[in-house]
Amino acid sequence: MSTGLLAGVALLGALTGLVAPRAARHFTTPAAPVAPHPPSAPVAAGAVVFAGLAAARGADAVLPVLLLLAAVGLVLALVDLACLRLPDPLVGAAALVAAVGLTGAALTSGTPGRLLGAVAGAALCFACHVLLALLPGSRLGFGDVKLAAVLGLPLGWLGGSSLALGLLLPHVLHGVLVLVLLVAGRVRRDTPLPLGPALLTGAWLAALTP
């Protein structure tokens, strides 16, 4: 991808990050406003996420699907950070984007067989996270389970290495964050923390792998 196109995608990501907090407010309560972050944080996050996907995937037919999922993901992350929930309408929108977008990418690229990998990835992510949610003392919510299943669609499409990283990285990232916050005295062992941002970040990093 040329430098000009990459810059254009990064700008699109920044604009998405600019409007994401306003969209997120529709899914939060006044008691849980969207912000304890600098106003520029979603803008920077959008630019980095979009540019990273564009640099990694180039002219791949799946790139528009990944960018649309990233846009919905930014809103989901903000809502989860604000009120510890992943609203079904947003998760459903992500599922629709993934299902329709990947079907279109399969048809335009002449690789319909990759849809089987996408479905298998979603099923594996769903099964693994259901098991985690059912463990005694687990704080994994079924919103997290549903989001993990949706993210399994593009990860399964991208292949086994991306899928494996997408399963592992979110929990490594979340575990490290929890440990850092515990050591810093910012949280206690029983403090509820959102997993959605870690699921989304892990999936993004996995999508950057060749």
Side-chain angles (χ1 to χ4, degrees):
M1 179 173 287
S2 70
T3 303
L5 283 175
L6 188 61
V9 173
L11 178 59
L12 180 62
L15 293 174
T16 302
L18 185 64
V19 301
R22 182 174 298 178
R25 290 190 189 100
H26 292 289
F27 299 94
T28 60
T29 64
V34 178
H37 50 69
S40 61
V43 175
V48 170
V49 168
F50 274 49
L53 290 171
R57 294 294 152 189
D60 194 318
V62 79
L63 178 60
V65 184
L66 297 178
L67 294 178
L68 284 171
L69 283 173
V72 179
L74 281 171
V75 180
L76 275 166
L78 289 171
V79 174
D80 204 15
L81 287 168
C83 56
L84 298 175
R85 60 186 291 263
L86 294 165
D88 284 342
L90 284 175
V91 177
L96 184 63
V97 166
V100 174
L102 292 176
T103 300
L107 294 176
T108 56
S109 63
T111 56
R114 296 186 76 171
L115 289 175
L116 293 176
V119 173
L124 180 61
C125 287
F126 178 76
C128 290
H129 286 82
V130 164
L131 290 175
L132 289 174
L134 294 176
L135 289 174
S138 173
R139 294 182 185 171
L140 193 70
F142 274 87
D144 300 314
V145 173
K146 288 179 281 189
L147 177 59
V150 171
L151 295 175
L153 286 167
L155 292 174
W157 167 284
L158 293 174
S161 60
S162 294
L163 180 59
L165 283 173
L167 280 168
L168 178 64
L169 281 176
H171 301 284
V172 173
L173 294 171
H174 187 71
V176 170
L177 175 63
V178 170
L179 183 60
V180 169
L181 292 175
L182 282 171
V183 171
R186 300 286 299 275
V187 299
R188 301 184 306 179
R189 293 176 65 88
D190 59 348
T191 302
L193 294 171
L195 181 63
L199 288 171
L200 292 159
T201 302
W204 174 68
L205 290 172
L208 301 185
T209 60

